[in-house]
Amino acid sequence: MTTTAPAGSRQARAAATRQRILSAAHELFVTRGYRSTSLRDIAAAASVSHPGLLGHFASKDDLLAEVVAELEAENETVFSAIAAASEPGELVFAALAARNARTEGYLELFAALTGEASAPGHPAHDRMRERYCRLRALSVDVLQDAQDHGVIAADRDVRGETVRHTAGWDGLQLISQYLPDRVDVVEMLEDRENLWASPLAWRDPDDDPTPELDAPAGPLPELPVAAVPESDPGYAVGRRRRTQIVADAMRLFSRDGYGDTSLRDIATAVGVSKSTLLHHYSSKELLLSAVLAERDSAINDNQSVAGAASAAELLRGIPGGAAHSAREEPGLIEVYAVLSCEAVPTTHPAHAYFRTRFANTIDYFTTLFELAQRDGDLPAHRDPAHEAVWLIAMWDGLQYQWLYDRGAVDVAAHLQAHFDDVLPRR
């Protein structure tokens, strides 16, 4: 038998204080980000003393774990309830996404945590990894039921579809925080469910002819990249030093995040004084810009357009570039995952960079898919703008899943499976 503490009792007051602390932590983690929020910030927002807060939660990590556990327990209960109440074979992801969108702070918190917690040392890493496992298991059940009832074609790989779908969902949640006017998570998931249920979705391209037009004149477009911060090229020793500073800053940002990495931390890693570091990069924000520019430049080298004869050929080359990044330069994936999610709050110095980057990337891939459709490579029933957003979201989401379980998720293989569907070879 469960008993409730009488109102006004010490136990009831303690429970109320604990809940007030959790609510304050939740709000601050959403608005400022986990890394940029201190226990003193939370104590002040909850109107308790710092020692009083520590009487309920020993650390900020414990608070985060409790906030995430509350949301996820409720979310999984709702997922199961929606699935149980649905018609046989019905796809329910959009309905769950709609409920999440109505839950204050849910999207913001999980969009931020997805990348932040990908670093193995993050306090929520194990919890988020377990979350992926549970979410995939629930999703496999829904998709298998849909396949058993003919909603999804019998030859589809349910487990592969589950990984790609949950990846796209995660990516959409993040992008929507930067571009709320361009990306609607619920609408995108509804479109994907409609595509799954459509007989056109996986049909042979010979049954869905698209008139082949002459390819547009001129070179294929290139993805815009951030400008490299200006600096005096100096002597060779200075150039090597700046290269080392950027490399070590990238490594520390990917491990600890921008907010928890100090200039002194970076100087120590490089083996120079803080004043020497400031001689090369006069502020932490300028160094952050250099790290992001270096990351963009390296990724673009991996995804070079050189030699691509068509938009479809360029797009089909993406899995190869992704495999190279995962194999040779995993740090590029790590720093992007952590910083893109850490920068969700508008006050973060990299927020504007990621907002612009997502907008430019969507425009770029929309153009490529439009060209592929004109060439007859993208079937007529597929919308280039939708395909562009979904590709970016899924690609990012696959990288997050890979960071949590590198042995279980092959980013390149899933991208290849996606392009085999979207751009079937004639």
Side-chain angles (χ1 to χ4, degrees), residues 327-351:
R327 183 177 62 253
E328 305 294 337
E329 300 179 284
L332 299 177
I333 300 173
E334 293 162 358
V335 75
Y336 172 83
V338 172
L339 290 179
S340 63
C341 294
E342 182 187 355
V344 164
T346 57
T347 54
H348 194 283
H351 182 87

mmCIF file of all heavy atoms in Angstrom, residues 327-351:
data_model
loop_
_atom_site.group_PDB
_atom_site.id
_atom_site.type_symbol
_atom_site.label_atom_id
_atom_site.label_comp_id
_atom_site.label_asym_id
_atom_site.label_seq_id
_atom_site.Cartn_x
_atom_site.Cartn_y
_atom_site.Cartn_z
ATOM 1 N N ARG A 327 36.520 6.146 -40.724
ATOM 2 C CA ARG A 327 37.735 5.321 -40.622
ATOM 3 C C ARG A 327 38.970 6.160 -40.319
ATOM 4 O O ARG A 327 39.791 5.791 -39.468
ATOM 5 C CB ARG A 327 37.933 4.560 -41.934
ATOM 6 C CG ARG A 327 39.111 3.610 -41.943
ATOM 7 C CD ARG A 327 39.190 2.853 -43.261
ATOM 8 N NE ARG A 327 39.384 3.740 -44.408
ATOM 9 C CZ ARG A 327 38.440 4.014 -45.300
ATOM 10 N NH1 ARG A 327 37.235 3.459 -45.204
ATOM 11 N NH2 ARG A 327 38.683 4.826 -46.324
ATOM 12 N N GLU A 328 39.125 7.285 -41.001
ATOM 13 C CA GLU A 328 40.361 8.054 -40.926
ATOM 14 C C GLU A 328 40.285 9.289 -40.035
ATOM 15 O O GLU A 328 41.305 9.694 -39.468
ATOM 16 C CB GLU A 328 40.788 8.485 -42.346
ATOM 17 C CG GLU A 328 40.932 7.341 -43.342
ATOM 18 C CD GLU A 328 42.068 6.400 -42.972
ATOM 19 O OE1 GLU A 328 42.989 6.837 -42.254
ATOM 20 O OE2 GLU A 328 42.029 5.230 -43.399
ATOM 21 N N GLU A 329 39.114 9.907 -39.927
ATOM 22 C CA GLU A 329 39.015 11.168 -39.196
ATOM 23 C C GLU A 329 37.759 11.216 -38.316
ATOM 24 O O GLU A 329 36.909 12.091 -38.486
ATOM 25 C CB GLU A 329 39.018 12.348 -40.173
ATOM 26 C CG GLU A 329 40.280 12.426 -41.018
ATOM 27 C CD GLU A 329 40.258 13.582 -41.997
ATOM 28 O OE1 GLU A 329 39.569 13.481 -43.022
ATOM 29 O OE2 GLU A 329 40.937 14.581 -41.726
ATOM 30 N N PRO A 330 37.655 10.290 -37.373
ATOM 31 C CA PRO A 330 36.460 10.280 -36.520
ATOM 32 C C PRO A 330 36.300 11.555 -35.697
ATOM 33 O O PRO A 330 35.193 11.912 -35.304
ATOM 34 C CB PRO A 330 36.676 9.052 -35.627
ATOM 35 C CG PRO A 330 38.158 8.823 -35.638
ATOM 36 C CD PRO A 330 38.603 9.215 -37.015
ATOM 37 N N GLY A 331 37.406 12.251 -35.450
ATOM 38 C CA GLY A 331 37.321 13.489 -34.686
ATOM 39 C C GLY A 331 36.455 14.536 -35.355
ATOM 40 O O GLY A 331 35.832 15.369 -34.677
ATOM 41 N N LEU A 332 36.383 14.512 -36.678
ATOM 42 C CA LEU A 332 35.531 15.463 -37.397
ATOM 43 C C LEU A 332 34.062 15.202 -37.082
ATOM 44 O O LEU A 332 33.264 16.142 -36.971
ATOM 45 C CB LEU A 332 35.768 15.354 -38.909
ATOM 46 C CG LEU A 332 37.178 15.652 -39.413
ATOM 47 C CD1 LEU A 332 37.253 15.426 -40.913
ATOM 48 C CD2 LEU A 332 37.587 17.080 -39.059
ATOM 49 N N ILE A 333 33.699 13.938 -36.961
ATOM 50 C CA ILE A 333 32.327 13.575 -36.613
ATOM 51 C C ILE A 333 32.053 13.932 -35.159
ATOM 52 O O ILE A 333 30.992 14.474 -34.825
ATOM 53 C CB ILE A 333 32.090 12.069 -36.853
ATOM 54 C CG1 ILE A 333 32.324 11.725 -38.330
ATOM 55 C CG2 ILE A 333 30.689 11.664 -36.417
ATOM 56 C CD1 ILE A 333 32.277 10.235 -38.629
ATOM 57 N N GLU A 334 33.009 13.625 -34.299
ATOM 58 C CA GLU A 334 32.821 13.862 -32.865
ATOM 59 C C GLU A 334 32.615 15.337 -32.554
ATOM 60 O O GLU A 334 31.698 15.710 -31.818
ATOM 61 C CB GLU A 334 34.040 13.316 -32.108
ATOM 62 C CG GLU A 334 34.166 11.805 -32.159
ATOM 63 C CD GLU A 334 35.555 11.315 -31.796
ATOM 64 O OE1 GLU A 334 36.433 12.168 -31.543
ATOM 65 O OE2 GLU A 334 35.768 10.080 -31.787
ATOM 66 N N VAL A 335 33.465 16.205 -33.106
ATOM 67 C CA VAL A 335 33.359 17.628 -32.773
ATOM 68 C C VAL A 335 32.080 18.226 -33.353
ATOM 69 O O VAL A 335 31.446 19.093 -32.734
ATOM 70 C CB VAL A 335 34.605 18.407 -33.257
ATOM 71 C CG1 VAL A 335 34.602 18.620 -34.767
ATOM 72 C CG2 VAL A 335 34.720 19.740 -32.516
ATOM 73 N N TYR A 336 31.670 17.754 -34.521
ATOM 74 C CA TYR A 336 30.422 18.249 -35.106
ATOM 75 C C TYR A 336 29.230 17.829 -34.255
ATOM 76 O O TYR A 336 28.336 18.641 -33.974
ATOM 77 C CB TYR A 336 30.260 17.709 -36.526
ATOM 78 C CG TYR A 336 28.912 18.022 -37.136
ATOM 79 C CD1 TYR A 336 28.677 19.257 -37.734
ATOM 80 C CD2 TYR A 336 27.875 17.089 -37.103
ATOM 81 C CE1 TYR A 336 27.435 19.550 -38.286
ATOM 82 C CE2 TYR A 336 26.642 17.377 -37.643
ATOM 83 C CZ TYR A 336 26.423 18.604 -38.238
ATOM 84 O OH TYR A 336 25.190 18.899 -38.768
ATOM 85 N N ALA A 337 29.201 16.576 -33.830
ATOM 86 C CA ALA A 337 28.075 16.077 -33.044
ATOM 87 C C ALA A 337 27.937 16.850 -31.736
ATOM 88 O O ALA A 337 26.837 17.277 -31.356
ATOM 89 C CB ALA A 337 28.248 14.585 -32.760
ATOM 90 N N VAL A 338 29.055 17.038 -31.046
ATOM 91 C CA VAL A 338 29.002 17.719 -29.753
ATOM 92 C C VAL A 338 28.642 19.187 -29.916
ATOM 93 O O VAL A 338 27.747 19.712 -29.243
ATOM 94 C CB VAL A 338 30.347 17.563 -29.011
ATOM 95 C CG1 VAL A 338 30.369 18.435 -27.759
ATOM 96 C CG2 VAL A 338 30.566 16.103 -28.625
ATOM 97 N N LEU A 339 29.317 19.881 -30.831
ATOM 98 C CA LEU A 339 29.103 21.325 -30.945
ATOM 99 C C LEU A 339 27.753 21.668 -31.556
ATOM 100 O O LEU A 339 27.108 22.641 -31.143
ATOM 101 C CB LEU A 339 30.228 21.957 -31.771
ATOM 102 C CG LEU A 339 31.607 21.988 -31.102
ATOM 103 C CD1 LEU A 339 32.634 22.608 -32.040
ATOM 104 C CD2 LEU A 339 31.553 22.761 -29.792
ATOM 105 N N SER A 340 27.284 20.900 -32.536
ATOM 106 C CA SER A 340 26.000 21.225 -33.164
ATOM 107 C C SER A 340 24.856 21.101 -32.173
ATOM 108 O O SER A 340 23.868 21.834 -32.261
ATOM 109 C CB SER A 340 25.744 20.321 -34.384
ATOM 110 O OG SER A 340 25.647 18.957 -34.002
ATOM 111 N N CYS A 341 24.991 20.190 -31.226
ATOM 112 C CA CYS A 341 23.944 20.017 -30.222
ATOM 113 C C CYS A 341 24.141 20.966 -29.034
ATOM 114 O O CYS A 341 23.168 21.485 -28.490
ATOM 115 C CB CYS A 341 23.901 18.574 -29.742
ATOM 116 S SG CYS A 341 23.387 17.408 -31.029
ATOM 117 N N GLU A 342 25.387 21.202 -28.656
ATOM 118 C CA GLU A 342 25.654 22.138 -27.567
ATOM 119 C C GLU A 342 25.210 23.546 -27.947
ATOM 120 O O GLU A 342 24.809 24.335 -27.088
ATOM 121 C CB GLU A 342 27.151 22.138 -27.238
ATOM 122 C CG GLU A 342 27.523 23.054 -26.070
ATOM 123 C CD GLU A 342 29.019 23.166 -25.862
ATOM 124 O OE1 GLU A 342 29.777 22.465 -26.557
ATOM 125 O OE2 GLU A 342 29.429 23.963 -24.999
ATOM 126 N N ALA A 343 25.264 23.887 -29.224
ATOM 127 C CA ALA A 343 24.978 25.251 -29.680
ATOM 128 C C ALA A 343 23.494 25.509 -29.913
ATOM 129 O O ALA A 343 23.140 26.559 -30.457
ATOM 130 C CB ALA A 343 25.762 25.537 -30.963
ATOM 131 N N VAL A 344 22.609 24.603 -29.514
ATOM 132 C CA VAL A 344 21.172 24.817 -29.694
ATOM 133 C C VAL A 344 20.685 26.108 -29.022
ATOM 134 O O VAL A 344 19.942 26.881 -29.628
ATOM 135 C CB VAL A 344 20.376 23.591 -29.199
ATOM 136 C CG1 VAL A 344 18.903 23.928 -29.001
ATOM 137 C CG2 VAL A 344 20.516 22.439 -30.198
ATOM 138 N N PRO A 345 21.076 26.405 -27.768
ATOM 139 C CA PRO A 345 20.636 27.679 -27.174
ATOM 140 C C PRO A 345 21.123 28.867 -28.002
ATOM 141 O O PRO A 345 22.270 28.898 -28.452
ATOM 142 C CB PRO A 345 21.291 27.662 -25.788
ATOM 143 C CG PRO A 345 21.501 26.216 -25.478
ATOM 144 C CD PRO A 345 21.842 25.588 -26.793
ATOM 145 N N THR A 346 20.265 29.833 -28.220
ATOM 146 C CA THR A 346 20.607 30.976 -29.085
ATOM 147 C C THR A 346 21.760 31.802 -28.542
ATOM 148 O O THR A 346 22.377 32.564 -29.294
ATOM 149 C CB THR A 346 19.387 31.878 -29.287
ATOM 150 O OG1 THR A 346 18.902 32.302 -28.001
ATOM 151 C CG2 THR A 346 18.273 31.135 -30.020
ATOM 152 N N THR A 347 22.062 31.671 -27.255
ATOM 153 C CA THR A 347 23.149 32.442 -26.661
ATOM 154 C C THR A 347 24.527 31.828 -26.930
ATOM 155 O O THR A 347 25.542 32.465 -26.659
ATOM 156 C CB THR A 347 22.953 32.545 -25.134
ATOM 157 O OG1 THR A 347 22.802 31.219 -24.591
ATOM 158 C CG2 THR A 347 21.702 33.368 -24.808
ATOM 159 N N HIS A 348 24.577 30.620 -27.463
ATOM 160 C CA HIS A 348 25.860 29.960 -27.707
ATOM 161 C C HIS A 348 26.578 30.651 -28.871
ATOM 162 O O HIS A 348 25.948 30.994 -29.873
ATOM 163 C CB HIS A 348 25.632 28.482 -28.041
ATOM 164 C CG HIS A 348 26.878 27.649 -27.982
ATOM 165 N ND1 HIS A 348 27.837 27.670 -28.972
ATOM 166 C CD2 HIS A 348 27.323 26.759 -27.047
ATOM 167 C CE1 HIS A 348 28.799 26.821 -28.661
ATOM 168 N NE2 HIS A 348 28.518 26.258 -27.497
ATOM 169 N N PRO A 349 27.892 30.848 -28.779
ATOM 170 C CA PRO A 349 28.601 31.569 -29.846
ATOM 171 C C PRO A 349 28.600 30.859 -31.192
ATOM 172 O O PRO A 349 28.880 31.498 -32.219
ATOM 173 C CB PRO A 349 30.030 31.702 -29.292
ATOM 174 C CG PRO A 349 30.152 30.672 -28.228
ATOM 175 C CD PRO A 349 28.783 30.548 -27.633
ATOM 176 N N ALA A 350 28.300 29.571 -31.238
ATOM 177 C CA ALA A 350 28.261 28.855 -32.518
ATOM 178 C C ALA A 350 26.850 28.679 -33.052
ATOM 179 O O ALA A 350 26.660 28.058 -34.098
ATOM 180 C CB ALA A 350 28.931 27.492 -32.378
ATOM 181 N N HIS A 351 25.842 29.211 -32.367
ATOM 182 C CA HIS A 351 24.458 29.002 -32.805
ATOM 183 C C HIS A 351 24.230 29.547 -34.208
ATOM 184 O O HIS A 351 23.653 28.863 -35.068
ATOM 185 C CB HIS A 351 23.483 29.648 -31.823
ATOM 186 C CG HIS A 351 22.046 29.424 -32.189
ATOM 187 N ND1 HIS A 351 21.333 28.314 -31.782
ATOM 188 C CD2 HIS A 351 21.183 30.164 -32.960
ATOM 189 C CE1 HIS A 351 20.103 28.370 -32.284
ATOM 190 N NE2 HIS A 351 19.991 29.476 -32.986
#
